[in-house]
Amino acid sequence: MAEVGARPRVPAARRAALRAARAFFTPLLPDDYLELINPLWSTRELRGRIERVDRETADAVTITIRPGFEWVGHAPGQYLRIGVAVDGVHHWRAYSITSDPGRPDGFISITPKLLDSGVVSPFLVKAARPGAIVRLGGVEGTFTLPDPLPPRVLFISAGSGITPIMSMLRCLERRRGLDDVVHLHSARTPQDVIFATRLRGIAQSHPGMVLHERHTDRHPRFTPADLEELCPDWRERATFASGPGDLLDALVDHWGAEGDPQRLYMERFQPVISGDDAGGGAGGTVRFLRSDLQAIADGGTPILVAGEEVGAVLPFGCRMGICHTCVGRLCSGRIRDLRTGEVAGTEGEVVRTCVNAPEGDVVIDL
Amino acid sequence: MTVLTTRTDDERDDLTVAVPTGDLDALADELDALYHEVRADLGAADAAYIRRVIAAQRGLEAGGRALLLLSRYRPALVGGVALLTVAKILENMEIGHNVMHGQWDWMRDPQINSTAWEWDAVSTARSWKHAHNFRHHTFTNILGKDRDLGYSAMRVDPEQPWHPIHLLQPLYGVGMALTFEWGIALYDMELDSVRRGEKTAAQARTDLAAFARKAGRQVVKDYVAFPALAGRRAPRVALGVLAANVIRSVWVHTIVFMGHIPDGAETFGEEQLEGETRGGWYRRQMVGSCNLEGSPLFHLLAGNLSFQIEHHLFPDLPSSRYARIAPRVRAVCERHGLAYNSGRLGRQYGSVARKILRLALP
C-alpha cells in the first residue's frame, strides 16, 4: 500500500449521501468519478490546490494551498506531510506549516527550500504552479507554542529553521503576543533570509519585538555564548529553537548547564531514530507471517529494516513514524519505540514497523 | 547442459530439445537487462497514460449507462450496450488485469495499486490474484500445475487424459465462453483442492463468503439498483447490462484462450520445474505463449494481452510498453533459436477451435 492523505473533514450529510450511492458504483466509490471532475472533491483523502507560489529567496518559495475541505487545523510550529507526483511517482515529505492557523481564507502555506539532491523540493521550488493538486497528509509535531502563550519568548533559528517559527510569529501577532520577544536568526546573506520583509516588518511595527539577524558569510553563526550580550535575560524566557543539529546540540548543552532545560523547546529536522538515543533495547527476532520469513534485529533496528534485509516485501511510507503506511498487527511479543525508548505492545495491537524495534521475540502479521 | 522435454500440440513424439545452460543464462541476462531498462525509463508519460485510460473508461461507463436509461429509443439501447461493453472490457483487461499485476505500483498511487484495486467482476481481486498471478504465471503451461490450461474442463493438450465427457467439449466450451466471468470466479477458489486435502474447509468457507459478498454487490448494482432508475423499463435496462456482461465474457474468454493454446505453443511436464533456472523459466514463458497481431485499438481492447509473450516475460511491466519492446523480444527469440508465436486473431482462433474439436475425441 502506498501512503495516502489525511481523511478530510466532510460534512456528515454529504458522507451519508455518498455512502448511500455506493451500490451504484461498486466496486468503486462515487469518489472515483467525482475526483475526475474535481480532484479536491475526494472524501477519502484530503487534497489541496496550489493557489500561489511566491518567491522568498533565490532557493525558497512559499506555496499557498487551498485545502479541498475545511482545514483540520494545526498548532503553530507543526508540520504537514504533503504528497506530490514527480515524474509519475508519488513522493511524500514533511514541511513545516508557515501560515497562521487563524487565516481567514482557510488556506495554509509551506515554504520549501531547494535541496539540489532532493526529488520533491526541486519540484516544489522550481516546477510547482498555481492550479496543481497536492495530497495533504497528517499534521504532526510537538514543537508548538504552549497555551497559554508564554509572556516572554526567545526564538533562535537558522536557515530554513525559520519556517515553523514564522507560523508562531504570525499567531503571536494575531493574538497580540509580541510584547516581549527576542528573535536571533542566522542566514548566509541578507538575501538568503526567508521571510525577510515580513520579519523586519513585524519587528518594526511591534516595539516589544527585537530581531537580531546574523549573516554568516561575514560573521559566525549565533552561539550560546552570544546570549549574554544579545539577550541577557534568556533564562527567564521560553525559548523556541529550530535549525541544524549542531546548533540545537549546543543549545541543549548550554540550557542543561546554565539554564532550565524545561524551558527550551526545539525541533530537529531529522527525527532521531537510532539505537543510541533510544536507550539500548535488547533487540530480538521478528517473524513475518505472510512471507514466513524470520529476521534478527538488534535493539536499534526497526522491524521494517530488519524485514527488508531478509527479503520481506513490506509496506512503507515515510519511514519516520508519521504516515502509518507500514503498520502491521502484532500477533505476539513486545516492541520498543526507537524515538522514545518506551517498551509496549499487546497482542492484536497495530504497530508501526518503521519506528519500532523488537524487544524479544515478535510475530507480526505482515 | 539442461535437457528440456517439450511437447508439441499434435500427436508427434515428444521432442527433446537440448539447450546449452550457458545460452539460457545469456537469455536471462538479456531479458533482465531489457526489464531494468524499461523500469528505469518509466515516468510521467506512463502515469498519464493509465490515468487517461481510467478516465476514458469511466466516461464510457457513465455514458453507456446514461444511454441505457433512455432505452425506450432503440438506438440508445444499442449504443448503451455498446459503450458499456467497451467500458467493461477496458475495465477488466487494460485496467483491472494489469493494475492487479502490479504494473502500476511504481507510481505509489494509493488507488492505482495492486494491493488496493478491486475490479468490476464477480471474482474478488484477492482470489483472482492468487490463481492468476501466482499459479498461472509461475507454472505457465505445466500440465497438472497450470490450472488455466483448459480450466480442468477442456482438453486442450493431447497429454491431458481423455474422458468421455470431452465429447461434449465443443458444446460446453460455448457455454463456458458465455459465462466466463462466473466460471473463473468459482474455479479460482479451487474448491476441488479441499477434497484432496490441499485446502482447509474453513479457508474454502472464507473464500466462498468473500465471493458471495462481492458477487452479491455486483448483481445488485448491474441488475437491481441501476435498472431501477429506469422505472417500469427496468427489465429492458437489466437485459442491456446482461448483454454487456455476456459480450465481455465472450471477448475475455477469446483473448485468454488465444494466449497459450494455439498451434505452436509448447506445454511441459512437471519435471520441467526441477532445477529450472531463471533462463529456463523465461524460455518456457516464451515458447508457451502466443501473441495476437492487430491495430492499436485491438491491443487496447485486449488489455495488451495480445502481447502475451512480453506479458509473460514481464508480467509487472506496464502494458503500454509491450508494443514497444516486442520487436526487441522477437530479436532475442530469434538469436536464441526460440519460436516467437504470433498471428492474427482469425488464424489463432481457427487453430484453437480445431484443437478443441480434435481433442474432444480420444
Side-chain angles (χ1 to χ4, degrees):
Chain A
M1 261 306 261
E3 185 170 350
V4 62
R7 225 173 139 65
R9 204 183 259 179
V10 180
R14 182 152 168 189
R15 256 204 208 287
L18 289 172
R19 205 175 303 121
R22 278 176 71 161
F24 294 97
F25 293 88
T26 187
L28 300 177
L29 299 173
D31 267 7
D32 288 303
Y33 285 82
L34 294 173
E35 283 171 33
L36 291 175
I37 303 169
N38 182 348
L40 294 184
W41 290 346
S42 169
T43 61
R44 63 185 151 201
E45 71 168 345
L46 186 61
R47 308 249 173 94
R49 181 168 56 216
I50 296 178
E51 293 290 332
R52 295 173 59 99
V53 179
D54 296 299
R55 188 148 293 277
E56 297 285 352
T57 65
D59 58 0
V61 295
T62 288
I63 294 184
T64 306
I65 300 166
R66 172 202 300 270
F69 287 89
E70 186 194 349
W71 178 236
V72 293
H74 66 274
Q78 285 190 304
Y79 52 84
L80 164 72
R81 286 190 67 74
I82 183 160
V84 295
V86 182
D87 206 15
V89 182
H90 281 86
H91 296 271
W92 288 84
R93 293 290 186 277
Y95 287 101
S96 292
I97 302 173
T98 52
S99 53
D100 173 25
R103 236 182 115 119
D105 56 12
F107 293 2
I108 53 170
S109 69
I110 57 168
T111 307
K113 184 177 179 220
L114 179 68
L115 180 70
D116 277 317
S117 60
V119 173
V120 174
S121 70
F123 173 81
L124 289 175
V125 173
K126 294 176 179 168
R129 296 282 175 273
I133 299 294
V134 297
R135 294 168 192 246
L136 303 175
V139 171
E140 305 256 346
T142 53
F143 179 63
T144 56
L145 283 177
D147 204 39
L149 294 175
R152 309 175 73 193
V153 176
L154 167 61
F155 289 121
I156 303 176
S157 55
S160 57
I162 185 74
T163 50
I165 286 173
M166 193 65 223
S167 181
M168 293 179 177
L169 282 171
R170 284 178 163 143
C171 173
L172 287 174
E173 186 182 27
R174 175 175 51 89
R175 294 174 63 181
R176 304 182 197 291
L178 289 173
D179 293 338
D180 191 354
V181 173
V182 178
H183 187 176
L184 313 181
H185 181 60
S186 306
R188 212 168 54 80
T189 67
Q191 291 75 40
D192 285 320
V193 176
I194 303 174
F195 307 120
T197 317
R198 195 68 207 267
L199 281 176
R200 290 164 200 157
I202 292 176
Q204 266 168 20
S205 54
H206 295 81
M209 161 111 183
V210 180
L211 171 67
H212 293 286
E213 278 182 52
R214 178 75 58 94
H215 304 123
T216 55
D217 60 338
R218 301 262 177 92
H219 309 279
R221 194 170 68 197
F222 286 118
T223 66
D226 299 318
L227 285 170
E228 298 306 333
E229 184 203 329
L230 298 172
C231 183
D233 60 352
W234 61 272
R235 288 177 189 79
E236 286 119 62
R237 290 174 181 271
T239 299
F240 298 84
S242 167
D246 53 348
L247 170 67
L248 300 181
D249 291 342
L251 297 177
V252 169
D253 291 346
H254 194 64
W255 259 253
E258 293 183 37
D260 176 3
Q262 298 288 322
R263 309 206 64 195
L264 175 64
Y265 303 82
M266 39 180 247
E267 165 150 283
R268 290 181 186 276
F269 293 153
Q270 292 298 321
V272 179
I273 305 179
S274 79
D276 12 308
D277 283 58
T285 66
V286 188
R287 192 154 77 80
F288 297 91
L289 273 190
R290 293 188 202 167
S291 53
D292 201 24
L293 287 168
Q294 182 127 341
I296 299 169
D298 66 30
T301 304
I303 292 170
L304 173 64
V305 173
E308 287 173 337
E309 279 171 6
V310 296
V313 179
L314 300 170
F316 68 88
C318 67
R319 304 182 82 100
M320 53 198 277
I322 291 164
C323 73
H324 292 256
T325 306
C326 65
V327 294
R329 196 170 51 82
L330 190 65
C331 302
S332 71
R334 303 276 285 165
I335 52 167
R336 179 184 289 267
D337 190 320
L338 288 168
R339 299 165 302 173
T340 60
E342 194 183 323
V343 175
T346 50
E347 196 186 311
E349 189 181 335
V350 172
V351 300
R352 282 170 280 183
T353 60
C354 71
V355 287
N356 283 293
E359 185 78 357
D361 297 337
V362 162
V363 179
I364 192 157
D365 184 13
L366 269 178
Chain B
M1 296 280 277
T2 308
V3 176
L4 296 162
T5 309
T6 70
R7 295 185 177 88
T8 49
D9 55 288
D10 56 23
E11 270 88 338
R12 276 181 290 160
D13 286 337
D14 286 1
L15 286 173
T16 302
V17 182
V19 178
T21 309
D23 282 9
L24 281 180
D25 290 345
L27 175 71
D29 291 345
E30 280 178 59
L31 290 173
D32 282 347
L34 180 56
Y35 174 82
H36 291 298
E37 182 192 318
V38 176
R39 279 303 294 242
D41 188 49
L42 296 175
D46 298 274
Y49 168 79
I50 191 64
R51 290 183 193 287
R52 211 161 52 232
V53 174
I54 289 173
Q57 187 276 328
R58 289 180 189 158
L60 284 168
E61 172 124 16
R65 287 182 185 270
L67 280 177
L68 277 181
L69 292 179
L70 302 171
S71 62
R72 71 172 141 153
Y73 307 107
R74 184 163 292 269
L77 177 65
V78 174
V81 172
L83 290 192
L84 188 58
T85 302
V86 172
K88 279 176 171 274
I89 285 172
L90 281 177
E91 199 280 342
N92 271 195
M93 311 278 280
E94 181 65 347
I95 303 170
H97 169 273
N98 293 336
V99 169
M100 289 193 289
H101 258 295
Q103 293 183 2
W104 302 98
D105 285 7
W106 58 273
M107 299 197 304
R108 294 191 220 146
D109 184 286
Q111 272 90 45
I112 308 171
N113 187 297
S114 64
T115 58
W117 196 267
E118 188 56 81
W119 63 348
D120 178 47
V122 290
S123 56
T124 64
R126 190 189 161 94
S127 152
W128 181 83
K129 278 187 285 188
H130 174 78
H132 181 83
N133 291 2
F134 169 61
R135 292 206 61 139
H136 170 59
H137 273 270
T138 309
F139 303 119
T140 314
N141 284 26
I142 303 275
L143 291 162
K145 293 282 267 185
D146 181 357
R147 285 171 43 92
D148 287 12
L149 208 61
Y151 297 95
S152 306
M154 310 285 288
R155 183 164 177 254
V156 293
D157 190 279
E159 293 294 320
Q160 289 172 328
W162 184 82
H163 185 278
I165 189 87
H166 289 133
L167 288 170
L168 296 176
Q169 76 175 12
L171 214 58
Y172 61 70
V174 174
M176 185 186 199
L178 294 171
T179 58
F180 198 55
E181 179 191 354
W182 288 84
I184 283 293
L186 290 167
Y187 184 68
D188 283 351
M189 282 186 283
E190 302 184 20
L191 299 177
D192 49 319
S193 59
V194 177
R195 221 181 29 238
R196 292 194 303 273
E198 290 163 13
K199 185 173 187 170
T200 65
Q203 185 55 49
R205 271 196 298 277
T206 313
D207 289 356
L208 271 171
F211 162 69
R213 270 195 307 277
K214 174 83 195 287
R217 281 197 295 265
Q218 291 288 119
V219 168
V220 167
K221 172 186 71 169
D222 275 352
Y223 303 116
V224 182
F226 169 66
L229 296 177
R232 62 195 169 82
R233 252 178 282 275
R236 208 178 155 100
V237 172
L239 275 178
V241 180
L242 178 67
N245 277 330
V246 170
I247 300 170
R248 173 181 66 180
S249 265
V250 172
W251 176 252
V252 172
H253 175 270
T254 303
I255 297 300
V256 166
F257 268 65
M258 298 309 120
H260 304 283
I261 302 177
D263 286 341
E266 293 181 28
T267 56
F268 303 84
E270 284 192 41
E271 68 280 1
Q272 163 71 19
L273 292 171
E274 281 165 31
E276 185 177 61
T277 59
R278 183 149 183 79
W281 182 86
Y282 270 136
R283 182 195 174 281
R284 174 159 56 86
Q285 302 299 335
M286 277 181 152
V287 300
S289 306
C290 306
N291 280 9
L292 291 168
E293 292 157 11
S295 66
L297 179 64
F298 169 76
H299 290 304
L300 175 65
L301 291 175
N304 280 299
L305 293 178
S306 38
F307 294 102
Q308 189 78 203
I309 298 171
E310 287 73 19
H311 173 58
H312 264 264
L313 293 173
F314 311 119
D316 65 348
L317 279 189
S319 54
S320 53
R321 292 287 188 135
Y322 291 154
R324 262 183 277 173
I325 62 170
R328 294 173 64 185
V329 170
R330 188 168 202 145
V332 171
C333 270
E334 279 163 11
R335 224 173 11 254
H336 290 265
L338 299 169
Y340 186 88
N341 201 327
S342 178
R344 295 193 72 85
L345 179 61
R347 196 190 92 187
Q348 303 293 73
Y349 194 94
S351 137
V352 171
R354 270 194 306 280
K355 184 179 272 192
I356 286 171
L357 290 171
R358 189 174 63 222
L359 294 177
L361 301 169

